[in-house]
Amino acid sequence: MNGTERTDVLVVGSGFGGAITAYHLAAGGAKVVVLERGPWLREEEVEHDYKLGSSYTRIFDFVVGDGMNVLGGNCVGGGSMVYFAALPRAPRFVFERHGSIGRRMWPAAISRDTLDPWYDRVAEAIPVSTQDWKDVTYAGGLWAAACAHAGRTANPVPVGVDNASCTRCNWMMAGCRFGAKRSLLTNYLPAALAHGAQIRPLHEVQRISRTGDDRYRVHYDVIDGEDYRVRTGSGEIDAKIVVLAAGAGATPVILQRSEAALGRMPHAVGRYFSGNGERLCTAVMNEDRVREVLGLTRGDGAAYEAFHIGKGPCVANWDRLDASRPEYTRYSLEQLYFPPGLGTILAQAPRASGPGAWFGPEKKEMLRRWRSWLIIFEMVEDDNEGVFGPPPPAGNAVRISQQLLGRGTLRYRPSPSTLRAWEAADADVRDILERDGLAEVAPWTGDLVGAYTVHPLASCRIGDDPATSALDDRHELRGHPGIFVTDGSAVPGALTVNPAMTIAALAERAVPGIVRAARERGVPVTYGAPAPDGATAGRRGTAAQVPLLARG
């Protein structure tokens, strides 16, 4: 594309933070362009295989760091295409956390009470379903039964899934070809398009500079649709407002690369990264003991053997989400289906040690019994230990393969507090699943290749203290008026639950301030759009906060 385009608002990324802001700003009358690094896949293009070049490798981004590996979305719809649609709200105590800085991490203006109306808006727009036990899969039922046997509770997880349409194919993480998962392709993004927003896939933003007329210039490369290492073109778009929503693994990299042109970035850009305290444990269930101890059967001669039949996480144990407990001892334990591929390679075999845990005879036996697996997803309170190094020449990582895999600059060394939290959660999982010989449990260790996260957070976080937060409480980048960050990187720290609902609620909350900033820069935009389907109940719930958020 020749020359420099102009728009009112440029949104980088089309996940929760980008789609929500794009919709509201377009509905309010602004000219909005959304640049998305990944491809645009329709439902019918989602493929159920693991071949290189299929949708499975095209819409994921797996970045290997130093001590932390990040798996995220790389497509129109972002994380909403590749998540398991679990949408719990963060516990009340999360907003009072101190973490590593020794004082409240979250801005004083945000608490569970003040965020609840924005949660309600998201629940109205997606919408969020409260699952019943009849919706629970075999794996979820097994986890619930084991929790009950151990004297623990189990809770169906709220989800963005149309249960009536779900086929329980268990390919949800690779997108849904049956229209059951309520990704952003079913709500905010089509609504944004209907109001004139443009969405451009395979456009990777590299940096931001300033123009001479109080605008920002966004520099991008066009990415080849087959080999993401190949750049087929480049361009520039000038905008009065820039909304960064490229994800917690990419947004800070864009800002780091922009520092030479924009001027000094806040200290917290690229620091305080959190993996949401995530860790996986694999249990290999003893089918005989499942039948004898829990009294379960599928009716076909098997007690369980149903790891692959389901739809992602549907049951969680939240007994440790107790505000009276000390920080770093609160966590959730959620049943999770982690698909073959990375799961079969990285899951550690019980009773094995060293390389044999991944490649020895114990691992071979574990893989033979893969239908009897149960994976438990731990989300603890971590210490925001991650720091990004100097940015790579282009993109958020150096691409190793034509799709999926890259090497990034994130360095993560878990603190003693984080390690103790993981140890406590591991012990809890063992107490529940190894009781009476039900299973053998082994955590996915970080000793060999580091920790993993599918929910990166906090690398450009909001806060009241300029020394430890990159954004103010309305998500504007400190020292750079007109640049906002609305993705997971804005979340101050680990949430102890799946973060999509909180990221979305914060993005909804950020919009009035973005509208105010746009109007100050001469953009004729208003605030007040209903939910994408026209519902207005949620809008009434947030009305009292809007004047405060839109203040000058």
Side-chain angles (χ1 to χ4, degrees):
M1 187 175 293
N2 295 321
T4 300
E5 292 183 80
R6 285 197 164 202
T7 189
D8 295 330
V9 179
L10 192 289
V11 179
V12 183
S14 58
F16 288 101
I20 289 171
T21 52
Y23 162 63
H24 282 290
L25 292 163
K31 182 181 179 182
V32 178
V33 176
V34 180
L35 300 185
E36 166 58 51
R37 177 184 61 188
W40 195 339
L41 268 64
R42 313 295 180 179
E43 285 182 359
E44 60 271 17
E45 295 179 275
V46 173
E47 299 161 287
H48 287 181
D49 62 51
Y50 299 101
K51 297 176 181 177
L52 181 64
S54 73
S55 62
Y56 202 81
T57 61
R58 292 173 64 199
I59 65 177
F60 277 105
D61 183 45
F62 185 67
V63 177
V64 177
D66 179 7
M68 176 63 73
N69 307 285
V70 179
L71 182 66
N74 181 57
C75 55
V76 173
S80 78
M81 280 288 283
V82 301
Y83 81 145
F84 276 126
L87 293 169
R89 303 184 184 199
R92 185 174 299 274
F93 65 77
V94 160
F95 302 96
E96 305 300 327
R97 284 198 63 207
H98 284 200
S100 60
I101 62 174
R103 57 188 178 279
R104 195 177 192 269
M105 296 162 56
W106 284 75
I110 301 178
S111 66
R112 173 62 188 266
D113 288 336
T114 61
L115 199 59
D116 259 334
W118 303 99
Y119 277 131
D120 291 342
R121 289 202 67 153
V122 177
E124 180 180 59
I126 289 185
V128 178
S129 303
T130 301
Q131 296 189 106
D132 199 299
W133 287 107
K134 64 180 174 55
D135 302 314
V136 167
T137 62
Y138 290 115
L142 175 60
W143 176 234
C147 286
H149 176 68
R152 306 288 296 277
T153 67
N155 308 272
V157 178
V159 294
V161 176
D162 179 359
N163 286 302
S165 301
C166 181
T167 66
R168 300 194 177 194
C169 67
N170 232 343
W171 284 87
M172 185 188 289
M173 193 171 176
C176 179
R177 65 183 302 166
F178 304 109
K181 182 165 70 169
R182 293 172 173 135
S183 74
L184 295 166
L185 294 181
T186 69
N187 37 73
Y188 286 101
L189 287 175
L193 288 170
H195 285 283
Q198 298 181 39
I199 301 174
R200 300 182 187 176
L202 299 170
H203 281 58
E204 182 179 69
V205 170
Q206 303 301 333
R207 60 187 179 90
I208 305 167
S209 61
R210 283 193 174 87
T211 67
D213 58 352
D214 198 32
R215 290 175 179 258
Y216 290 103
R217 179 162 293 169
V218 178
H219 306 259
Y220 65 84
D221 289 341
V222 181
I223 306 300
D224 182 77
E226 296 296 328
D227 189 339
Y228 297 164
R229 298 169 298 186
V230 176
R231 302 172 190 279
T232 62
S234 62
E236 302 167 342
I237 300 179
D238 290 354
K240 294 183 177 180
I241 295 289
V242 175
V243 177
L244 285 169
T251 287
V253 179
I254 293 170
L255 290 175
Q256 285 177 323
R257 196 179 291 119
S258 303
E259 189 167 34
L262 290 181
R264 185 171 182 173
M265 287 291 133
H267 173 77
V269 168
R271 291 181 171 87
Y272 304 110
F273 173 94
S274 167
N276 199 34
E278 294 173 359
R279 182 172 170 89
L280 295 170
C281 285
T282 303
V284 182
M285 305 303 300
N286 182 315
E287 294 286 332
D288 291 335
R289 298 301 289 162
V290 168
R291 183 183 296 106
E292 295 163 3
V293 175
L294 301 181
L296 299 183
T297 177
R298 288 208 286 126
D300 57 0
Y304 172 50
E305 289 189 345
F307 173 61
H308 58 299
I309 304 172
K311 57 184 177 184
C314 55
V315 174
N317 171 270
W318 289 328
D319 289 350
R320 300 297 187 239
L321 297 185
D322 181 350
S324 67
R325 295 174 63 86
E327 195 169 1
Y328 304 105
T329 68
R330 301 170 296 201
Y331 49 82
S332 60
L333 304 175
E334 185 176 85
Q335 161 266 328
L336 175 72
Y337 173 76
F338 203 94
L342 290 174
T344 55
I345 294 170
L346 297 176
Q348 184 178 0
R351 305 187 319 281
S353 60
W358 290 273
F359 308 110
E362 293 92 347
K363 181 62 175 286
K364 184 176 181 180
E365 172 62 16
M366 180 185 182
L367 293 178
R368 186 186 68 80
R369 297 172 58 194
W370 70 272
R371 292 174 185 268
S372 296
W373 286 14
L374 181 69
I375 293 180
I376 304 302
F377 189 36
E378 305 170 359
M379 287 170 275
V380 310
E381 295 170 300
D382 73 359
D383 240 346
N384 293 77
E385 299 97 325
V387 178
F388 284 81
N396 66 313
V398 175
R399 294 290 146 197
I400 296 172
S401 61
Q402 68 181 56
Q403 295 167 13
L404 185 67
L405 186 61
R407 176 73 183 183
T409 66
L410 176 62
R411 184 180 185 273
Y412 186 89
R413 295 291 184 269
S415 71
S417 296
T418 300
L419 292 172
R420 285 193 296 271
W422 279 334
E423 289 169 2
D426 289 350
D428 230 4
V429 174
R430 289 193 178 97
D431 178 63
I432 294 170
L433 290 176
E434 292 187 342
R435 187 178 294 248
D436 293 325
L438 284 174
E440 292 180 308
V441 177
W444 288 30
T445 181
D447 297 340
L448 185 66
V449 291
Y452 318 90
T453 183
V454 294
H455 298 131
L457 303 171
S459 53
C460 292
R461 64 189 186 179
I462 55 174
D464 290 333
D465 179 9
T468 58
S469 60
L471 315 172
D472 64 22
D473 72 326
R474 290 177 295 168
H475 293 247
E476 194 165 26
L477 184 67
R478 298 185 186 280
H480 302 275
I483 297 179
F484 292 82
V485 176
T486 57
D487 56 22
S489 60
V491 177
L495 300 175
T496 68
V497 295
N498 315 73
M501 191 69 172
T502 299
I503 295 169
L506 288 172
E508 282 276 5
R509 181 185 175 277
V511 173
I514 299 174
V515 168
R516 182 267 311 162
R519 291 177 62 85
E520 289 177 351
R521 287 162 177 74
V523 178
V525 60
T526 60
Y527 177 75
D533 66 355
T536 59
R539 183 172 61 180
R540 292 193 294 272
T542 58
Q545 293 189 44
V546 170
L548 297 175
L549 294 168
R551 69 187 185 275

